[in-house]
Amino acid sequence: MMQVFRILISVVSSKFVALYLGPIGLGLVSLLNNATSIITAITNFEFLTVATREVALIKGSEDNSALSKTIATLQKMAVFIGLFGAIVSLFFSKTLSYFTFGTQEKQHWFILLSVYFIITSFSNARMAILQGMNNIKRLAICNIIAAFLTASGTIIIYYFYRIEGIIWVILYSSVVLFLITMYFTRNYSLKFTPFNLTEFYKQSSPIFKLGFFMSINLILGQISKFIIKLYINDGGDSLQIIGYYEVSIVILVNYLGLIFNAMALDFYPKLSTISTDNEKVKQLVNNQIEIALILVTPAIVLMYIIAPFLIKLFYTAEFSSSFLILKMALFSVILKAVVFPIGYIVLVKGNKKLFFKQALFGDIVNLILSIVLYHFFGLFGLGLAAVLNGVFFGIYIYLMVNKHYNFNFFSEGKRLVLINLFIGLVAIAIVYSFEQFYMYIFISILFIISALYSLKELNKRINLKHFISEKINRRK
């Protein structure tokens, strides 16, 4: 529910951003966000994740001094990490401006970003307390308030400052999150204990090492995305294309990604508890693939009908060209429904080497395909790259888990995979073969067929009639 509410706020915010900035402005936002993410990945050591883990590890302890000691250490780490990010942004501001935008005119943006890294580092230290203590209610309220205030401020800033407001939106968002996390963690001490370098090194070294390893994959992924956008930008002449690309990514990852995020909340913990039993892992992953396909495929077919309207509704008619990417890229979501559960196997097994190879392979393939296919086919090539990346990555990861963990598809899973991939391919054939009027008719028919098939398969697994009546009785 929290994710849905945040998405709704994001949709409203995106609409105004699109109105005030247009495709070119959104392209600038995308490039700056990507550059910021790279600096964060390099200097941040996945601080929020590892800090959350540290708090969670002592959550059950009755020793209050242990929690206070951990929080104090994390706050000192926040100072180091924040200053590290600020120094990188300050010292390389001119270079970063040139590589990101093809000009040094935006150097002042990266100078101002130094403040963002310091504030965000402190926010992460406080947010880690909420997440580590597993205070779900307070965390949900915190996120919703932050999303609402950020969206409201974003609209106002862009209204008055337009493109020059981009950097101020980033700074404003960081300040909002900091103040809110401070308020919701006010019960936990913010006192800084005397600094002892030897003691700090001893306490923080294991956390930094873990964070460094976790950040490697993130760094590679962010650099890959950044290079793709720089290539598309063509020295600053194609910001409009980046705007189209960004919209397609938002729809594929942020909106349709809700399905996968919702599944992961339940799937990942369950898989972790049985990670040592390969047969149970195989059973659960196969079940998850089946459910994912049943839910995702009708949604993707429906998106072929409503995506052009959603683009105009969420953004403006100027972004309609984004559908040229989505026409092909939507099929990659069906592939992701198969690959996504399999990808968790290496993660829960804790095989760091294989996990690194897995991420590296995906990033390199995505980088090569996106650049080469965009060069030859333009926006269509970006969509095709998403599909081929899903195919190659899927084959690679399947062969890897099959070899190391004896994973394979059950016969029922194979049948579902083949049928749903066929439905997706038929959708693509219809979209590229017919004029708009006939396309909508045939896609609508295909959606009905896909929805009925999914309902039939879902009913086999959970008995929908019993499930619904049970839910109704509980509410009574």
Side-chain angles (χ1 to χ4, degrees), residues 140-380:
I141 296 170
C142 175
N143 280 312
I144 289 171
I145 293 174
F148 177 76
L149 291 178
T150 299
S152 303
T154 296
I155 293 168
I156 295 169
I157 292 171
Y158 281 140
Y159 176 78
F160 286 105
Y161 294 100
R162 294 306 199 266
I163 286 177
E164 197 55 42
I166 292 172
I167 183 63
W168 298 112
V169 163
I170 292 177
L171 292 176
Y172 166 77
S173 302
S174 66
V175 171
V176 166
L177 185 60
F178 172 70
L179 293 175
I180 291 172
T181 52
M182 282 295 298
Y183 176 78
F184 280 97
T185 58
R186 62 190 183 280
N187 296 330
Y188 298 95
S189 173
L190 191 61
K191 294 179 181 178
F192 284 90
T193 56
F195 185 78
N196 182 302
L197 183 60
T198 305
E199 185 181 352
F200 174 69
Y201 177 80
K202 183 180 178 181
Q203 293 171 349
S204 65
S205 180
I207 306 174
F208 274 127
K209 286 177 182 177
L210 176 61
F212 174 75
F213 172 78
M214 293 180 67
S215 66
I216 291 175
N217 288 336
L218 184 62
I219 293 169
L220 293 173
Q222 291 296 340
I223 291 175
S224 172
K225 292 175 186 176
F226 191 54
I227 294 173
I228 291 169
K229 289 179 182 178
L230 288 181
Y231 184 82
I232 294 172
N233 191 30
D234 192 24
D237 296 326
S238 302
L239 281 169
Q240 193 169 12
I241 304 297
I242 294 184
Y244 301 149
Y245 180 61
E246 185 67 15
V247 168
S248 68
I249 295 298
V250 168
I251 290 174
L252 290 171
V253 177
N254 290 16
Y255 301 151
L256 290 173
L258 271 177
I259 300 172
F260 297 105
N261 290 338
M263 288 191 296
L265 289 174
D266 179 60
F267 172 63
Y268 179 53
K270 282 184 179 178
L271 193 64
S272 298
T273 59
I274 59 169
S275 59
T276 56
D277 190 325
N278 285 345
E279 284 303 313
K280 287 184 178 179
V281 167
K282 186 193 301 185
Q283 177 72 53
L284 184 58
V285 171
N286 268 277
N287 291 345
Q288 191 66 32
I289 290 171
E290 292 172 16
I291 294 296
L293 285 170
I294 288 169
L295 295 176
V296 165
T297 304
I300 293 304
V301 176
L302 180 63
M303 282 296 291
Y304 279 106
I305 302 172
I306 66 174
F309 302 104
L310 289 180
I311 292 170
K312 292 177 183 177
L313 177 65
F314 293 171
Y315 299 91
T316 66
E318 286 184 276
F319 292 87
S320 295
S321 295
S322 299
F323 189 58
L324 297 176
I325 302 173
L326 290 174
K327 276 184 180 182
M328 183 63 72
L330 283 170
F331 180 72
S332 69
V333 182
I334 300 178
L335 292 171
K336 186 177 179 180
V338 180
V339 178
F340 179 78
I342 300 175
Y344 271 95
I345 295 176
V346 175
L347 183 62
V348 299
K349 290 289 185 179
N351 192 321
K352 297 177 181 178
K353 187 177 179 180
L354 284 183
F355 187 67
F356 175 74
K357 284 183 179 179
Q358 171 183 311
L360 182 63
F361 179 85
D363 290 332
I364 291 175
V365 170
N366 183 47
L367 177 63
I368 294 171
L369 287 173
S370 296
I371 289 177
V372 172
L373 293 176
Y374 174 72
H375 176 76
F376 287 104
F377 303 109
L379 294 178
F380 167 78

